[in-house]
């Protein structure tokens, strides 16, 4: 039950909770009221959600009023947030026999020879507040709010409606202009099928140390549902042509990684292979140095390549080293997979080669993210063209 009490003339929100063993007051409220805080040995407090707090202060003879009745009680101080005070069994046991009606949410008890009835706090379910009062209300505790912006008068509403109609017409006009272009270039937006072309020097290579031995690690254990996911992802890669069946002496295990949208990504645990690989000395760009090159730029366009690593082939002589093993088969990559130690250097080298005429002028490349930047709109549109 939530009821309203008073400390002096200040109203406080009190939660009467038979599930709480002790009684508490919000630590911040006690400081605002100027209560004397008495340090105690740290006392662990278990909350309703299972979390644990450590109480280090108590307040002796805390005084408050409930419907004209004054109570004095020792309370512990912890941060509450959703209410100002919690009265638990420790306080309820002092009231003797209690009649509690949970349908009407009221309780009756005798105190100092008088009969008292406490009723649940009733308030408006929805409260409308103006913008100027929002900060003050939000400081009082936790709220569930809906914000709605309205015009001040009818003419403003009509202007707002006309503006939205104008925006819709502009969007429809833009879409009408883009539709033929999207149809003409539909092949650029379709999912790629088959292998990318061989790029010679930029095909990924896996040089191994002289004493390296073939990596052969058994697959990790997965429940039945995740095995089905692995089979489906492997079949999709087989259909797209980026992997093939293998009889290589190398075999790394696969790992299922959950994505933000709830789907799965199939990765290969190449850690053991990476330990035996000779590290590339390609100069990976430093973010701080790239940011320095943005000086004076005000307009930006960003291209994030989709599965950029799969746009590079693995050198034919190193394909067998990318082999991985699942519970249902043995496969190897024909394109550069994620997780290899030198893959970022290979990809960055290709990007630098493609954009070498534009680097440090208006293009920044950081792995599979490409940023075009300019100081003015005219320059930006010229660069994008």
């Amino acid at each position: 039950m939530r009821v309203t009490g008073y400390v002096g003339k200040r109203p406080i929100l009190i939660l009467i909770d038979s599930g709480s063993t002790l009684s508490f007051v919000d630590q911040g409220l006690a400081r605002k009221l100027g209560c004397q805080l008495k340090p105690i040995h740290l006392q662990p407090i278990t909350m309703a959600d299972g979390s644990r707090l450590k109480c280090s202060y108590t307040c002796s003879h805390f005084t408050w009023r409930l419907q004209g009745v004054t109570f004095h009680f020792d309370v512990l101080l912890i941060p509450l947030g959703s209410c100002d005070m919690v009265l638990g069994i420790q306080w309820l046991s002092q009231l003797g026999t209690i009649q509690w009606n949970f349908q009407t949410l009221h309780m009756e008890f005798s105190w100092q020879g008088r009969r008292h009835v406490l009723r649940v706090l009733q308030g408006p379910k929805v409260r409308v507040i103006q913008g100027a009062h929002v900060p003050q209300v939000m400081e009082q505790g936790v709220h569930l709010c809906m914000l709605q912006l309205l015009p001040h008068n009818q003419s403003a509403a009509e202007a707002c409606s006309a503006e939205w109609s104008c925006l819709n017409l502009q969007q429809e006009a833009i879409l009408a202009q883009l539709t033929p272009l999207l149809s003409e270039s539909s092949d650029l937006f379709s999912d790629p099928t088959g292998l990318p072309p061989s790029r010679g020097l930029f095909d990924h290579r896996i040089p191994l140390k002289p004493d390296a031995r073939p990596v052969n690690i058994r697959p990790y254990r997965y429940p039945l549902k995740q095995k089905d996911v692995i089979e489906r992802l492997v079949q999709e890669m087989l259909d797209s042509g980026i992997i093939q069946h293998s009889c290589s002496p190398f075999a790394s295990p696969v790992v299922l990684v959950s994505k933000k949208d709830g789907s799965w990504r199939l990765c290969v645990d190449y850690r053991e292979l990476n330990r035996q690989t000779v590290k590339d000395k390609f100069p990976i760009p430093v973010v701080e140095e790239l940011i320095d090159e943005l000086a004076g730029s005000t307009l930006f366009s960003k291209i994030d390549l989709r599965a950029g690593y799969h746009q590079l082939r693995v050198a034919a002589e190193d394909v067998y080293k990318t082999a991985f093993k699942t519970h249902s088969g043995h496969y190897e990559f024909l394109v550069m997979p994620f997780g290899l130690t030198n893959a970022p250097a290979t990809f960055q080298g290709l990007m630098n080669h493609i954009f070498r005429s534009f680097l440090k002028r208006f293009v920044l490349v950081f792995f599979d993210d490409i940023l075009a930047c300019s100081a003015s709109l005219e320059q930006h549109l010229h660069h994008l063209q």
Side-chain angles (χ1 to χ4, degrees):
M1 288 180 58
R2 293 178 183 268
V3 296
T4 301
Y6 292 87
V7 177
K9 295 183 178 180
R10 180 187 179 117
I12 61 173
L13 180 61
I14 300 176
L15 174 65
I16 301 177
D17 184 8
S18 61
S20 175
T21 305
L22 305 175
S23 297
F24 307 94
V25 169
D26 183 71
Q27 188 170 319
L29 175 66
R31 288 196 171 95
K32 290 180 180 179
L33 295 174
C35 300
Q36 284 190 334
L37 309 186
K38 180 181 177 181
I40 59 175
H41 293 292
L42 290 179
Q43 180 173 347
I45 305 294
T46 302
M47 308 300 288
D49 60 357
S51 60
R52 297 178 67 87
L53 295 176
K54 291 186 178 180
C55 177
S56 54
Y57 293 97
T58 184
C59 180
S60 300
H61 300 290
F62 183 78
T63 303
W64 75 96
R65 297 195 321 277
L66 273 177
Q67 298 186 358
V69 183
T70 301
F71 294 91
H72 308 276
F73 207 74
D74 295 343
V75 294
L76 297 174
L77 304 181
I78 60 173
L80 292 174
S82 59
C83 62
D84 299 317
M85 187 176 187
V86 175
L87 297 177
I89 296 296
Q90 186 184 27
W91 177 76
L92 291 170
S93 62
Q94 307 295 317
L95 305 181
T97 302
I98 300 174
Q99 294 182 356
W100 215 329
N101 189 319
F102 288 101
Q103 288 185 340
T104 59
L105 285 179
H106 75 272
M107 59 180 287
E108 299 181 15
F109 61 93
S110 297
W111 181 255
Q112 296 178 348
R114 295 178 55 187
R115 193 70 176 169
H116 300 277
V117 179
L118 293 181
R119 301 186 183 279
V120 69
L121 178 65
Q122 297 288 347
K125 295 183 179 180
V126 178
R127 180 182 176 188
V128 180
I129 59 175
Q130 301 296 328
H133 302 289
V134 171
Q136 180 181 358
V137 173
M138 297 304 294
E139 290 177 357
Q140 297 177 1
V142 180
H143 299 270
L144 178 63
C145 303
M146 180 184 73
L147 180 65
Q148 185 175 11
L149 301 179
L150 298 174
H152 290 292
N153 48 50
Q154 185 64 25
S155 60
E158 293 174 355
C160 182
S161 176
E163 184 177 351
W164 277 108
S165 299
C166 182
L167 288 175
N168 289 333
L169 290 175
Q170 291 178 358
Q171 291 178 354
E172 291 178 2
I174 293 174
L175 183 59
Q177 295 176 4
L178 288 177
T179 300
L181 177 62
L182 295 175
S183 300
E184 181 183 348
S185 307
S186 59
D187 57 321
L188 299 178
F189 300 100
S190 59
D191 292 335
T193 57
L195 294 174
S198 176
R199 306 181 192 274
L201 179 64
F202 296 103
D203 287 346
H204 185 69
R205 289 167 173 79
I206 309 175
L208 298 181
K209 298 177 181 178
D211 57 345
R213 302 182 62 184
V215 175
N216 190 1
I217 303 176
R218 63 176 299 172
Y220 298 135
R221 294 183 62 183
Y222 282 101
L224 180 60
K225 289 185 177 180
Q226 293 190 5
K227 286 183 178 179
D228 294 339
V229 173
I230 292 174
E231 290 180 2
R232 175 175 57 80
L233 295 176
V234 168
Q235 187 59 48
E236 290 176 0
M237 290 190 290
L238 282 172
D239 294 340
S240 63
I242 63 175
I243 66 172
Q244 64 183 11
H245 292 278
S246 175
C247 57
S248 167
F250 285 76
S252 298
V254 298
V255 179
L256 271 183
V257 179
S258 177
K259 300 167 68 174
K260 291 183 179 180
D261 59 0
S263 59
W264 295 96
R265 172 180 291 166
L266 184 68
C267 298
V268 182
D269 184 0
Y270 283 123
R271 287 179 295 180
E272 189 60 34
L273 177 63
N274 291 339
R275 292 190 186 97
Q276 303 187 52
T277 302
V278 178
K279 305 302 185 289
D280 199 319
K281 304 304 179 184
F282 184 88
I284 297 296
V286 180
V287 176
E288 288 77 8
E289 295 179 0
L290 292 178
I291 292 177
D292 292 340
E293 298 179 14
L294 297 177
S297 298
T298 57
L299 296 171
F300 305 91
S301 292
K302 176 176 175 290
I303 302 174
D304 187 4
L305 299 182
R306 176 184 176 184
Y309 281 14
H310 290 175
Q311 311 308 314
L312 279 78
R313 295 277 292 268
V314 176
E317 63 272 17
D318 292 322
V319 166
Y320 75 99
K321 300 174 186 175
T322 67
F324 62 93
K325 187 165 28 178
T326 70
H327 61 279
S328 61
H330 193 194
Y331 310 91
E332 60 191 17
F333 274 97
L334 299 174
V335 297
M336 186 172 68
F338 298 93
L340 290 178
T341 186
N342 290 333
T346 300
F347 191 84
Q348 186 72 37
L350 175 61
M351 294 296 102
N352 287 355
H353 175 73
I354 294 174
F355 294 101
R356 63 186 181 278
S357 301
F358 311 124
L359 294 178
K360 300 181 181 178
R361 293 176 55 197
F362 61 88
V363 170
L364 298 182
V365 178
F366 189 70
F367 301 126
D368 58 347
D369 292 318
I370 303 164
L371 181 68
C373 54
S374 300
S376 67
L377 180 59
E378 292 78 8
Q379 290 181 347
H380 198 62
L381 293 176
H382 175 72
H383 293 158
L384 292 179
Q385 290 174 355

